[in-house]
Short mmCIF file of all heavy atoms in Angstrom, two decimals:
data_model
loop_
_atom_site.label_atom_id
_atom_site.label_comp_id
_atom_site.label_asym_id
_atom_site.label_seq_id
_atom_site.Cartn_x
_atom_site.Cartn_y
_atom_site.Cartn_z
N GLY A 1107 10.65 -22.29 -85.74
CA GLY A 1107 11.33 -22.74 -84.53
C GLY A 1107 12.58 -23.56 -84.78
O GLY A 1107 13.42 -23.68 -83.88
N ASP A 1108 12.73 -24.10 -85.98
CA ASP A 1108 13.86 -24.98 -86.26
C ASP A 1108 15.21 -24.32 -85.95
O ASP A 1108 16.06 -24.89 -85.27
CB ASP A 1108 13.84 -25.46 -87.71
CG ASP A 1108 12.65 -26.35 -88.02
OD1 ASP A 1108 11.99 -26.83 -87.07
OD2 ASP A 1108 12.37 -26.56 -89.21
N SER A 1109 15.42 -23.12 -86.44
CA SER A 1109 16.70 -22.45 -86.20
C SER A 1109 16.75 -21.78 -84.83
O SER A 1109 17.84 -21.53 -84.30
CB SER A 1109 16.97 -21.41 -87.29
OG SER A 1109 15.94 -20.46 -87.32
N THR A 1110 15.61 -21.52 -84.23
CA THR A 1110 15.58 -20.86 -82.93
C THR A 1110 15.94 -21.82 -81.81
O THR A 1110 16.50 -21.41 -80.79
CB THR A 1110 14.18 -20.25 -82.68
OG1 THR A 1110 13.85 -19.40 -83.78
CG2 THR A 1110 14.13 -19.44 -81.41
N VAL A 1111 15.68 -23.10 -81.99
CA VAL A 1111 15.95 -24.10 -80.95
C VAL A 1111 17.41 -24.04 -80.51
O VAL A 1111 17.72 -24.04 -79.32
CB VAL A 1111 15.57 -25.51 -81.44
CG1 VAL A 1111 16.08 -26.58 -80.50
CG2 VAL A 1111 14.06 -25.62 -81.58
N ALA A 1112 18.33 -23.98 -81.44
CA ALA A 1112 19.76 -23.92 -81.10
C ALA A 1112 20.09 -22.62 -80.38
O ALA A 1112 20.92 -22.61 -79.46
CB ALA A 1112 20.61 -24.06 -82.36
N ALA A 1113 19.46 -21.53 -80.75
CA ALA A 1113 19.75 -20.23 -80.15
C ALA A 1113 19.29 -20.14 -78.70
O ALA A 1113 19.88 -19.42 -77.90
CB ALA A 1113 19.11 -19.11 -80.97
N VAL A 1114 18.24 -20.87 -78.32
CA VAL A 1114 17.71 -20.77 -76.96
C VAL A 1114 18.37 -21.75 -76.00
O VAL A 1114 18.24 -21.61 -74.78
CB VAL A 1114 16.17 -20.98 -76.92
CG1 VAL A 1114 15.47 -19.96 -77.79
CG2 VAL A 1114 15.77 -22.38 -77.30
N GLU A 1115 19.10 -22.71 -76.52
CA GLU A 1115 19.70 -23.75 -75.68
C GLU A 1115 20.60 -23.14 -74.59
O GLU A 1115 21.47 -22.33 -74.86
CB GLU A 1115 20.51 -24.72 -76.53
CG GLU A 1115 20.98 -25.92 -75.76
CD GLU A 1115 21.63 -26.96 -76.66
OE1 GLU A 1115 21.34 -26.99 -77.86
OE2 GLU A 1115 22.42 -27.75 -76.13
N GLY A 1116 20.32 -23.51 -73.34
CA GLY A 1116 21.12 -23.08 -72.21
C GLY A 1116 20.85 -21.66 -71.73
O GLY A 1116 21.55 -21.15 -70.87
N ARG A 1117 19.87 -21.00 -72.28
CA ARG A 1117 19.56 -19.61 -71.89
C ARG A 1117 18.25 -19.55 -71.11
O ARG A 1117 17.40 -20.41 -71.23
CB ARG A 1117 19.40 -18.73 -73.14
CG ARG A 1117 20.62 -18.60 -73.98
CD ARG A 1117 20.28 -17.69 -75.15
NE ARG A 1117 21.32 -17.64 -76.14
CZ ARG A 1117 21.85 -16.53 -76.61
NH1 ARG A 1117 21.43 -15.37 -76.18
NH2 ARG A 1117 22.78 -16.57 -77.52
N HIS A 1118 18.11 -18.50 -70.33
CA HIS A 1118 16.84 -18.17 -69.69
C HIS A 1118 16.06 -17.37 -70.73
O HIS A 1118 16.48 -16.28 -71.12
CB HIS A 1118 17.07 -17.36 -68.42
CG HIS A 1118 15.81 -16.98 -67.72
ND1 HIS A 1118 15.78 -15.99 -66.77
CD2 HIS A 1118 14.54 -17.44 -67.80
CE1 HIS A 1118 14.55 -15.86 -66.32
NE2 HIS A 1118 13.78 -16.73 -66.93
N VAL A 1119 14.94 -17.93 -71.20
CA VAL A 1119 14.24 -17.37 -72.35
C VAL A 1119 12.83 -16.93 -71.98
O VAL A 1119 12.13 -17.61 -71.23
CB VAL A 1119 14.17 -18.43 -73.48
CG1 VAL A 1119 13.35 -17.92 -74.66
CG2 VAL A 1119 15.56 -18.81 -73.93
N LEU A 1120 12.44 -15.79 -72.50
CA LEU A 1120 11.06 -15.33 -72.41
C LEU A 1120 10.38 -15.62 -73.74
O LEU A 1120 10.96 -15.34 -74.80
CB LEU A 1120 11.00 -13.83 -72.14
CG LEU A 1120 11.67 -13.33 -70.87
CD1 LEU A 1120 11.62 -11.81 -70.82
CD2 LEU A 1120 10.99 -13.93 -69.65
N ALA A 1121 9.20 -16.19 -73.72
CA ALA A 1121 8.42 -16.42 -74.93
C ALA A 1121 7.32 -15.36 -74.95
O ALA A 1121 6.45 -15.32 -74.08
CB ALA A 1121 7.84 -17.82 -74.93
N ILE A 1122 7.38 -14.48 -75.92
CA ILE A 1122 6.48 -13.33 -76.00
C ILE A 1122 5.57 -13.49 -77.22
O ILE A 1122 6.04 -13.70 -78.33
CB ILE A 1122 7.27 -12.01 -76.10
CG1 ILE A 1122 8.19 -11.88 -74.88
CG2 ILE A 1122 6.33 -10.83 -76.23
CD1 ILE A 1122 9.19 -10.76 -74.99
N GLN A 1123 4.26 -13.37 -77.00
CA GLN A 1123 3.28 -13.48 -78.08
C GLN A 1123 2.61 -12.14 -78.30
O GLN A 1123 2.34 -11.42 -77.34
CB GLN A 1123 2.25 -14.56 -77.75
CG GLN A 1123 1.28 -14.87 -78.87
CD GLN A 1123 0.04 -13.99 -78.88
OE1 GLN A 1123 -0.48 -13.61 -77.84
NE2 GLN A 1123 -0.42 -13.65 -80.06
N ASP A 1124 2.36 -11.81 -79.54
CA ASP A 1124 1.67 -10.58 -79.86
C ASP A 1124 0.76 -10.86 -81.06
O ASP A 1124 0.82 -11.93 -81.66
CB ASP A 1124 2.66 -9.46 -80.19
CG ASP A 1124 2.02 -8.08 -80.19
OD1 ASP A 1124 0.88 -7.94 -79.70
OD2 ASP A 1124 2.65 -7.13 -80.68
N THR A 1125 -0.05 -9.90 -81.41
CA THR A 1125 -0.94 -10.04 -82.55
C THR A 1125 -0.68 -8.92 -83.54
O THR A 1125 -0.55 -7.76 -83.15
CB THR A 1125 -2.42 -9.99 -82.12
OG1 THR A 1125 -2.65 -11.05 -81.20
CG2 THR A 1125 -3.36 -10.11 -83.30
N SER A 1126 -0.58 -9.27 -84.81
CA SER A 1126 -0.42 -8.28 -85.88
C SER A 1126 -1.56 -8.47 -86.87
O SER A 1126 -1.89 -9.60 -87.24
CB SER A 1126 0.91 -8.48 -86.62
OG SER A 1126 1.98 -8.25 -85.77
N GLU A 1127 -2.15 -7.36 -87.30
CA GLU A 1127 -3.16 -7.40 -88.35
C GLU A 1127 -2.43 -7.18 -89.67
O GLU A 1127 -1.75 -6.18 -89.85
CB GLU A 1127 -4.20 -6.29 -88.17
CG GLU A 1127 -5.12 -6.49 -87.01
CD GLU A 1127 -6.19 -5.40 -86.93
OE1 GLU A 1127 -6.20 -4.47 -87.76
OE2 GLU A 1127 -7.02 -5.50 -86.01
N ILE A 1128 -2.56 -8.14 -90.58
CA ILE A 1128 -1.95 -8.02 -91.89
C ILE A 1128 -3.06 -7.68 -92.87
O ILE A 1128 -3.91 -8.51 -93.19
CB ILE A 1128 -1.24 -9.33 -92.32
CG1 ILE A 1128 -0.35 -9.86 -91.19
CG2 ILE A 1128 -0.48 -9.13 -93.62
CD1 ILE A 1128 0.77 -8.95 -90.76
N HIS A 1129 -3.07 -6.44 -93.31
CA HIS A 1129 -4.14 -5.92 -94.17
C HIS A 1129 -3.72 -6.06 -95.63
O HIS A 1129 -2.59 -5.75 -96.00
CB HIS A 1129 -4.40 -4.45 -93.85
CG HIS A 1129 -5.30 -3.76 -94.80
ND1 HIS A 1129 -4.88 -2.75 -95.63
CD2 HIS A 1129 -6.61 -3.95 -95.07
CE1 HIS A 1129 -5.89 -2.34 -96.36
NE2 HIS A 1129 -6.95 -3.04 -96.04
N PHE A 1130 -4.65 -6.54 -96.47
CA PHE A 1130 -4.42 -6.65 -97.90
C PHE A 1130 -5.40 -5.75 -98.63
O PHE A 1130 -6.60 -5.82 -98.39
CB PHE A 1130 -4.62 -8.10 -98.38
CG PHE A 1130 -3.58 -9.04 -97.85
CD1 PHE A 1130 -3.83 -9.76 -96.68
CD2 PHE A 1130 -2.38 -9.21 -98.50
CE1 PHE A 1130 -2.88 -10.64 -96.19
CE2 PHE A 1130 -1.42 -10.08 -98.01
CZ PHE A 1130 -1.67 -10.80 -96.85
N ASN A 1131 -4.87 -4.90 -99.50
CA ASN A 1131 -5.75 -4.10 -100.36
C ASN A 1131 -6.33 -5.05 -101.39
O ASN A 1131 -5.61 -5.63 -102.18
CB ASN A 1131 -4.96 -2.98 -101.05
CG ASN A 1131 -4.53 -1.92 -100.08
OD1 ASN A 1131 -5.24 -1.61 -99.14
ND2 ASN A 1131 -3.35 -1.36 -100.30
N THR A 1132 -7.64 -5.21 -101.36
CA THR A 1132 -8.27 -6.19 -102.23
C THR A 1132 -9.67 -5.74 -102.58
O THR A 1132 -10.19 -4.78 -102.01
CB THR A 1132 -8.27 -7.58 -101.55
OG1 THR A 1132 -8.77 -8.53 -102.47
CG2 THR A 1132 -9.07 -7.60 -100.29
N THR A 1133 -10.27 -6.44 -103.50
CA THR A 1133 -11.65 -6.19 -103.89
C THR A 1133 -12.49 -7.38 -103.47
O THR A 1133 -11.94 -8.46 -103.20
CB THR A 1133 -11.76 -6.01 -105.42
OG1 THR A 1133 -11.38 -7.23 -106.05
CG2 THR A 1133 -10.90 -4.87 -105.91
N PRO A 1134 -13.80 -7.24 -103.39
CA PRO A 1134 -14.65 -8.38 -103.01
C PRO A 1134 -14.45 -9.61 -103.90
O PRO A 1134 -14.55 -10.73 -103.43
CB PRO A 1134 -16.07 -7.83 -103.15
CG PRO A 1134 -15.94 -6.36 -102.93
CD PRO A 1134 -14.60 -6.00 -103.54
N GLN A 1135 -14.10 -9.40 -105.17
CA GLN A 1135 -13.91 -10.52 -106.08
C GLN A 1135 -12.57 -11.24 -105.85
O GLN A 1135 -12.39 -12.36 -106.31
CB GLN A 1135 -13.94 -10.05 -107.55
CG GLN A 1135 -15.25 -9.44 -107.98
CD GLN A 1135 -15.41 -7.98 -107.53
OE1 GLN A 1135 -14.44 -7.28 -107.24
NE2 GLN A 1135 -16.66 -7.53 -107.46
N ARG A 1136 -11.64 -10.61 -105.15
CA ARG A 1136 -10.30 -11.18 -104.99
C ARG A 1136 -9.92 -11.41 -103.53
O ARG A 1136 -8.74 -11.38 -103.19
CB ARG A 1136 -9.29 -10.26 -105.65
CG ARG A 1136 -9.55 -10.13 -107.16
CD ARG A 1136 -8.45 -9.46 -107.83
NE ARG A 1136 -7.24 -10.24 -107.58
CZ ARG A 1136 -6.10 -10.05 -108.17
NH1 ARG A 1136 -5.98 -9.12 -109.06
NH2 ARG A 1136 -5.05 -10.79 -107.89
N ARG A 1137 -10.85 -11.67 -102.67
CA ARG A 1137 -10.57 -11.82 -101.23
C ARG A 1137 -9.92 -13.15 -100.90
O ARG A 1137 -9.24 -13.28 -99.90
CB ARG A 1137 -11.86 -11.65 -100.43
CG ARG A 1137 -12.44 -10.27 -100.58
CD ARG A 1137 -12.34 -9.47 -99.31
NE ARG A 1137 -12.47 -8.06 -99.57
CZ ARG A 1137 -13.61 -7.39 -99.60
NH1 ARG A 1137 -14.74 -8.01 -99.36
NH2 ARG A 1137 -13.62 -6.12 -99.84
N ARG A 1138 -10.15 -14.18 -101.68
CA ARG A 1138 -9.53 -15.50 -101.52
C ARG A 1138 -9.51 -15.97 -100.07
O ARG A 1138 -8.50 -16.43 -99.55
CB ARG A 1138 -8.11 -15.49 -102.07
CG ARG A 1138 -8.07 -15.25 -103.55
CD ARG A 1138 -6.67 -15.14 -104.02
NE ARG A 1138 -6.04 -13.97 -103.46
CZ ARG A 1138 -5.29 -13.12 -104.11
NH1 ARG A 1138 -5.02 -13.33 -105.36
NH2 ARG A 1138 -4.77 -12.07 -103.53
N GLY A 1139 -10.63 -15.84 -99.39
CA GLY A 1139 -10.74 -16.37 -98.03
C GLY A 1139 -10.21 -15.46 -96.94
O GLY A 1139 -10.18 -15.85 -95.78
N LEU A 1140 -9.80 -14.25 -97.28
CA LEU A 1140 -9.34 -13.33 -96.25
C LEU A 1140 -10.52 -12.93 -95.37
O LEU A 1140 -11.63 -12.74 -95.86
CB LEU A 1140 -8.71 -12.07 -96.87
CG LEU A 1140 -7.47 -12.30 -97.72
CD1 LEU A 1140 -7.05 -11.01 -98.40
CD2 LEU A 1140 -6.34 -12.85 -96.87
N GLY A 1141 -10.29 -12.80 -94.09
CA GLY A 1141 -11.36 -12.45 -93.16
C GLY A 1141 -11.39 -10.96 -92.87
O GLY A 1141 -10.48 -10.22 -93.22
N GLU A 1142 -12.45 -10.55 -92.21
CA GLU A 1142 -12.55 -9.16 -91.80
C GLU A 1142 -11.62 -8.94 -90.61
O GLU A 1142 -11.55 -9.76 -89.71
CB GLU A 1142 -13.99 -8.82 -91.40
CG GLU A 1142 -14.94 -8.80 -92.57
CD GLU A 1142 -16.35 -8.39 -92.16
OE1 GLU A 1142 -16.61 -8.20 -90.96
OE2 GLU A 1142 -17.19 -8.30 -93.05
N ILE A 1143 -10.90 -7.83 -90.64
CA ILE A 1143 -10.02 -7.47 -89.53
C ILE A 1143 -10.30 -6.03 -89.15
O ILE A 1143 -11.03 -5.33 -89.83
CB ILE A 1143 -8.52 -7.67 -89.88
CG1 ILE A 1143 -8.12 -6.83 -91.08
CG2 ILE A 1143 -8.21 -9.14 -90.11
CD1 ILE A 1143 -6.62 -6.83 -91.36
N GLY A 1144 -9.68 -5.60 -88.07
CA GLY A 1144 -9.92 -4.25 -87.58
C GLY A 1144 -11.36 -4.14 -87.12
O GLY A 1144 -11.86 -4.98 -86.38
N LYS A 1145 -12.04 -3.14 -87.57
CA LYS A 1145 -13.43 -2.94 -87.21
C LYS A 1145 -14.35 -3.47 -88.30
O LYS A 1145 -15.47 -3.02 -88.45
CB LYS A 1145 -13.69 -1.46 -86.95
CG LYS A 1145 -12.89 -0.96 -85.77
CD LYS A 1145 -13.16 0.48 -85.44
CE LYS A 1145 -12.26 0.79 -84.25
NZ LYS A 1145 -12.45 2.01 -83.64
N GLY A 1146 -13.83 -4.44 -89.06
CA GLY A 1146 -14.63 -5.05 -90.12
C GLY A 1146 -14.56 -4.31 -91.43
O GLY A 1146 -15.20 -4.69 -92.40
N ASN A 1147 -13.75 -3.23 -91.49
CA ASN A 1147 -13.68 -2.46 -92.73
C ASN A 1147 -12.43 -2.79 -93.56
O ASN A 1147 -12.19 -2.17 -94.57
CB ASN A 1147 -13.73 -0.96 -92.42
CG ASN A 1147 -12.62 -0.53 -91.46
OD1 ASN A 1147 -11.96 -1.36 -90.86
ND2 ASN A 1147 -12.46 0.76 -91.31
#
């Protein structure tokens, strides 16, 4: 948000939120706290 603050000043702004699933190819031994996403697969 630091650089965006100056860009929004004085404008009529829409704040849009979405969700992205970031999938990592990994093995059970290297999950490092990654959670299940999608349908758990």
